[in-house]
Amino acid sequence: MWIVVREWDDREVSVDKFVKQEEARQFYDEVVEYTSATVYLAKVEEFAEGGTG
């Protein structure tokens, strides 16, 4: 899984998930052009979904 994270000065964060690297890269390239946020492109090696326990 690939993610694009956008972080604004007020610490608001947006995360978009992608299966393919090409899709994530295309979204990243588009977002970088028009946002004032700091933008990260990252490959997720592992993740866990929150449980009820």
Side-chain angles (χ1 to χ4, degrees):
M1 175 186 347
W2 289 83
I3 60 172
V4 175
V5 179
R6 291 174 281 167
E7 178 184 37
W8 289 269
D9 289 337
D10 61 1
R11 299 296 179 218
E12 181 180 339
V13 174
S14 175
V15 178
D16 296 280
K17 301 176 191 174
F18 300 90
V19 174
K20 296 181 180 179
Q21 179 183 11
E22 298 80 21
E23 294 172 341
R25 170 58 72 176
Q26 181 178 358
F27 182 77
Y28 172 86
D29 290 343
E30 291 172 4
V31 167
V32 165
E33 290 185 27
Y34 70 81
T35 188
S36 62
T38 300
V39 184
Y40 305 89
L41 172 62
K43 182 177 182 182
V44 176
E45 297 287 335
E46 294 183 34
F47 70 95
E49 295 185 19
T52 59

